C-alpha cells in the first residue's frame, strides 16, 4: 500500500499542472477567495451596514498579503489576484462608508426615500381613481346591455 501511495505521489509530482493543483500555492488562495467574493457581494448592500474599522483592517490585510504573494519563491500570482480583488472591493466599501457617514450620503439617501414614499402615495391615489373610473365604466356597460 505504501508503494502504491509513493507511486501515485511521484506520478502527480511529475506533472507540473497536477503538482500545482495539489500544492498550498493553489489551495491556500482558493480557500481564501471567499473573502473577496463576500466583499464584492457586499458592495450591493446598503452603505449603512458597512463597518469602517473592519474595512480599514481588510485594506491593510490585503495590501500586506499582495506584497507577500510576490515576495515568496515561487511567486504566488493566484494569492496576489485574490488579495488584489479584495483590496479593490474594500477600497470601494471604504469610499461608500465615507460617502454615507461623512460626505452627506446618508442625508441624500433619506431624502430619496422620502421622495419615493411621496411618489408611491401619489401613484396609489392615481391607481385608486383609475379603479373607480373603471368601475363606473363597467356599470354603464352593464346598464346598456340590459
Amino acid at each position: 500500500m505504501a508503494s502504491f501511495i509513493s507511486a501515485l505521489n511521484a506520478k502527480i509530482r511529475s506533472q507540473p499542472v497536477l503538482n500545482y493543483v495539489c500544492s498550498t500555492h493553489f489551495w491556500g488562495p482558493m480557500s481564501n477567495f471567499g473573502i473577496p467574493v463576500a466583499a464584492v457581494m457586499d458592495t450591493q448592500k446598503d452603505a449603512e451596514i458597512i463597518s469602517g474599522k473592519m474595512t480599514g483592517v481588510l485594506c491593510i490585510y490585503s495590501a500586506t498579503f499582495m506584497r507577500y504573494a510576490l515576495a515568496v519563491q515561487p511567486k504566488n500570482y493566484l494569492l496576489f489576484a485574490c488579495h488584489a480583488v479584495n483590496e479593490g472591493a474594500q477600497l470601494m466599501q471604504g469610499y461608500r462608508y465615507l460617502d454615507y457617514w461623512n460626505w452627506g450620503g446618508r442625508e441624500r439617501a433619506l431624502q430619496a426615500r422620502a421622495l419615493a414614499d411621496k411618489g408611491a402615495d401619489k401613484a396609489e391615489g392615481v391607481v385608486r381613481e383609475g379603479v373607480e373610473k373603471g368601475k363606473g365604466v363597467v356599470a354603464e356597460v352593464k346598464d346598456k346591455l340590459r
Side-chain angles (χ1 to χ4, degrees):
M1 185 65 175
S3 62
F4 172 74
I5 292 173
S6 291
L8 182 63
N9 190 32
K11 179 74 173 163
I12 289 171
R13 299 299 175 192
S14 68
Q15 297 176 359
V17 173
L18 279 177
N19 185 35
Y20 179 70
V21 169
C22 292
S23 73
T24 57
H25 272 262
F26 177 77
W27 287 108
M30 289 306 292
S31 62
N32 201 28
F33 254 109
I35 295 171
V37 167
V40 169
M41 296 301 291
D42 283 348
T43 61
Q44 304 303 312
K45 294 182 180 173
D46 190 9
E48 188 173 8
I49 64 171
I50 298 171
S51 167
K53 291 179 183 178
M54 189 66 183
T55 299
V57 167
L58 285 171
C59 281
I60 293 168
Y61 161 79
S62 286
T64 301
F65 277 92
M66 282 170 53
R67 172 67 183 107
Y68 168 79
L70 298 178
V72 297
Q73 287 299 328
K75 292 179 181 353
N76 194 337
Y77 295 111
L78 189 58
L79 183 64
F80 180 83
C82 172
H83 286 290
V85 170
N86 192 38
E87 183 73 17
Q90 295 303 329
L91 288 172
M92 171 62 78
Q93 290 292 79
Y95 171 80
R96 291 179 66 223
Y97 175 83
L98 290 172
D99 180 52
Y100 190 82
W101 291 107
N102 297 10
W103 299 332
R106 184 169 190 258
E107 290 76 19
R108 288 191 306 269
L110 292 173
Q111 286 176 346
R113 286 184 193 133
L115 284 173
D117 290 343
K118 188 177 180 181
D121 291 342
K122 187 175 181 180
E124 186 179 342
V126 170
V127 168
R128 283 189 182 152
E129 286 177 21
V131 168
E132 292 303 319
K133 285 182 183 177
K135 286 179 181 178
V137 170
V138 168
E140 287 177 20
V141 170
K142 282 183 179 179
D143 289 340
K144 287 182 182 179
L145 291 176
R146 287 184 191 167

